[in-house]
Amino acid sequence: MVDEYSTVTFVCSVYSLPSSVISWSRSQQGEQLYSGTQYTIPKASCQHTDNYTCTASNKIGQPVSKTIPIYVRCVPVLDPNQVTKTTISIGLGETGVLSIHVLAYPLPVYTWYYQLQPITDFRIRQKDDGLSSTLTIQDVTEDDDGKYIVYVNNSIGTRSTLFNLVVTSRDNANQLDHNDAISRARGIGIAIGLGICLLVLGITAVLLWFILKKCGKKISLKNVTVNDQTCPKDTTSHGTGLDNIPLSDTPVVYDRVDNDATNTRDTVNPDYINTSTTEASPYAELDKQTMDQQPNTYQQLSPYQNLSEDMN
């Protein structure tokens, strides 16, 4: 029996021939702790309270061992090797269980309170078992919802732990189930929608491929080019009124006329005179409309104008 924070040294003396190999272990940790005649704990704590075993063996006969218990006097602390759940959710009419596991020596005393008031309800029972205590609540009601606190006390000191009990009604439970169902349905709907979108995209891609294949078009995504081999070309001009006009026909040539000149012959460049035949031009109607809308900046030249002036 030792005090907390003190140094503890174990010594194991063995007589044998040949010499024995000595090892140390403890009950809560099955693996070997140390090899040698002495084992030292520099700073003892509650976690070191356990049974320690010294084992000697020299391969002649069976190994021999001896167990030494150690008790460390300490204030109660939560046992790190046990789970103490401090928030519990329980439904109406069910059984709620609050439990705590500690390390302490001497063994502690447990006192439970509800909302800082002593517990007197016959439905609530307390069971203590050395280093643990359990509070059981039968047929939970809405009045059982709230804070519970347990005080763990021994001659070294006292510690307390707070628990939160949440009582859920059946309506809340049904609502939670309903919400879960809605969430699942929404997820299924999203999955179906994505599947339909992928199906439509796939069908569209296949149809586009068949159309391009039928037209003989080969598309290169790298160079972004289209080679047309079999599809007929649309040679119709839309809305121009110039369909089927031969490119060999020469339109009427216009020359700018100086408004201040008195002699047209002196200002006209013979190279711009239209020397085509007198056959009607396909642009005649267009020429007429243009001349009606243009100011007197341009003058249409007759193919025979220069000749008539020369004769005069």
Side-chain angles (χ1 to χ4, degrees), residues 8-66:
V8 180
T9 301
F10 298 96
V11 178
C12 186
S13 299
V14 179
Y15 300 94
S16 64
L17 186 67
S19 300
S20 297
V21 175
I22 300 173
S23 62
W24 293 88
S25 63
R26 57 181 292 186
S27 299
Q28 296 182 11
Q29 299 176 358
E31 71 276 6
Q32 180 177 316
L33 295 175
Y34 181 76
S35 294
T37 58
Q38 293 186 357
Y39 175 63
T40 301
I41 301 175
K43 193 175 182 179
S45 66
C46 283
Q47 287 82 351
H48 290 109
T49 297
D50 202 354
N51 294 324
Y52 293 81
T53 300
C54 167
T55 302
S57 174
N58 65 353
K59 297 183 180 180
I60 298 177
Q62 297 296 323
V64 296
S65 61
K66 185 176 182 180

Side-chain angles (χ1 to χ4, degrees), residues 186-204:
R186 185 180 294 112
I188 294 173
I190 292 174
I192 293 175
L194 290 176
I196 293 175
C197 290
L198 293 176
L199 179 61
V200 171
L201 290 176
I203 294 174
T204 303

Side-chain angles (χ1 to χ4, degrees), residues 296-311:
N296 295 328
T297 304
Y298 298 91
Q299 179 178 345
Q300 183 172 355
L301 300 181
S302 171
Y304 306 99
Q305 180 175 347
N306 291 338
L307 296 177
S308 62
E309 289 182 357
D310 292 339
M311 293 178 62

Side-chain angles (χ1 to χ4, degrees), residues 249-309:
D249 292 345
T250 304
V252 178
V253 179
Y254 297 93
D255 193 9
R256 182 180 297 275
V257 177
D258 189 353
N259 293 333
D260 297 333
T262 57
N263 191 346
T264 307
R265 183 180 58 182
D266 297 334
T267 61
V268 176
N269 188 343
D271 294 337
Y272 290 91
I273 297 176
N274 185 3
T275 59
S276 62
T277 62
T278 58
E279 183 180 355
S281 171
Y283 292 92
E285 182 64 24
L286 182 61
D287 294 343
K288 183 177 181 304
Q289 296 177 2
T290 303
M291 293 304 297
D292 292 341
Q293 298 175 359
Q294 293 289 334
N296 295 328
T297 304
Y298 298 91
Q299 179 178 345
Q300 183 172 355
L301 300 181
S302 171
Y304 306 99
Q305 180 175 347
N306 291 338
L307 296 177
S308 62
E309 289 182 357

